[in-house]
Amino acid sequence: MTGRIAAYLRAHAHRFARELAELVAFASVSSSPAAAPQLRRCANWLVRQLRQLGARDARLIATAGSPVVVARIGDDPRRPSVLIYGHYDVQPAEPVSAWRTPPFAPVVRGGYLHGRGASDAKGQLFAHLKAIEMLRALTGQLPVNVVFLIEGEEEIGSPHLPDLLGELAPYLASTAAVVSDNAVLALDRPSITYALRGDLYLDVEISGGFPELHSGNFGGAVHNALRVLVAALARLHRPTGAVALPGFSDRVVATAAPERAFMRSVGPSDRELGDEVGHRPLTASRAFSAYERSTIRPSIELVGVLGGYTGRGIRGVIPSRAEAKLDVRLVPDQRPDDVHRAIFDQLARAVPLGFELRTRERMRAAPVVLDRRHPVARAAQRAYRRGFSAEPVFVRAGGSIPIVSLLGEALRVPVVLMGFALPDDRAHGADERFSLAMLGKAVATSAAFLEEVAR
Ligand SMILES: [Zn+2]
């Protein structure tokens, strides 16, 4: 960080915190229909900020849900364009009684701004706005054209964004896209997440359509939907925890040896990962480390089972239907349709005649990998180095951020994850917070990124 940038951040730190508090004060809870006016007010606040930054065309685009904010700053065809994606909606704050201070009355305490959405993701989006403000103040111009796409439905799965992306593609055309909606390792340990697994979330149901039966009178004589479900689910894994589904990994692209060596050099060892998960026993594999099993290998997790009598005390009844939820994490080049079919077929082998097996897809997201040597990844690396005065670590994540694959596919643009949250920001939880020290580093990093992309 240069002296001029540090001086600017110091001089404006109080105003930055005050403006971020204004943004966090909107109770923009996308899952609550009653919050629609707050969502709209929050979107209009962003439009005003963007106009002040020189985006004369900043505007709301109506959808069947919350409006989307778009804006463009600069239109020089000789310069690269950077798309900055953000979301202004937040998770519900309930239970409000768990908060030390009200979730939508932001306060600064101990160097953090506290409030729902401070970290996920208003603080991260705000850093980009202030980076543009700072570049214009210090240099009089921007090194690139910038396009903003800020939605208000991320926390409910962005139901209206895919259609809109098609319509807006020419307006959003860009050289690189930035998504800031994830965490770095620590305030002094920046990181760039360059790979995410895809997601396929399935509801599974076994039903017979018969009435429930007395488990004494009929126990042993008839099939039990819950037992059938459990037997079917047991066919998905081996006792080691490895997936036992035939064909599941057939299309998985083998990770090259140098990449695996790189992962070993920067990623957690099995012991470190074990510490991180509170010494819960790890699944076993001779071929892959735990870090590899949760990033470059696909997984099937049983995340819910519902059936039979689950109340207190005793009720002896043979269930006629039962349900489960499966969260499947995908890697390149698995095909979600093939995986879904293979799971269905494997479960079906355990289902006796007279029972019906049904599966229903609840969510789907494609896996994402941005080559660490891609120029955009390199630009992000140099930007973090400048903004944090520390070397960023390239990490893979086992989770999924659907918007990343959505943007990449709809706009055919490399997407770089430039997160500015911290692992202990308590995103989605009570007393969510955003570090003001992080805000300064994030503003500097975002500004450096726009300069580095222009090189
Ligand atoms: Zn978020």
Side-chain angles (χ1 to χ4, degrees), residues 87 120-121 154-155 181:
H87 68 87
D120 180 11
E154 193 274 343
E155 301 290 0
D181 199 2

Side-chain angles (χ1 to χ4, degrees), residues 87 89 119-121 124 154-155 180-182 428:
H87 68 87
D89 64 320
S119 173
D120 180 11
Q124 302 188 57
E154 193 274 343
E155 301 290 0
S180 301
D181 199 2
N182 62 308
H428 295 204

Side-chain angles (χ1 to χ4, degrees), residues 219-242:
V222 297
H223 275 302
N224 171 329
L226 184 53
R227 187 186 55 70
V228 169
L229 176 71
V230 171
L233 294 170
R235 301 175 64 96
L236 296 175
H237 296 88
R238 280 188 257 283
T240 56

Side-chain angles (χ1 to χ4, degrees), residues 36 41 45 73 202 219 294 301 315 331 356 388 410 428:
R41 277 199 282 277
W45 186 95
I73 307 173
L202 300 176
S294 61
E301 284 301 330
R315 183 176 160 242
V331 298
E356 193 184 355
F388 283 72
H428 295 204

Side-chain angles (χ1 to χ4, degrees), residues 375-430:
V376 171
R378 293 278 199 219
Q381 183 182 26
R382 293 193 299 272
Y384 273 101
R385 201 181 284 149
R386 287 170 57 185
F388 283 72
S389 306
E391 188 61 29
V393 186
F394 278 97
V395 294
R396 285 173 180 261
S400 315
I401 305 179
I403 185 67
V404 177
S405 54
L406 194 62
L407 284 179
E409 282 165 16
L411 306 175
R412 306 199 170 284
V413 64
V415 184
V416 61
L417 283 163
M418 294 184 67
F420 299 119
L422 288 170
D424 57 359
D425 274 351
R426 303 192 279 258
H428 295 204

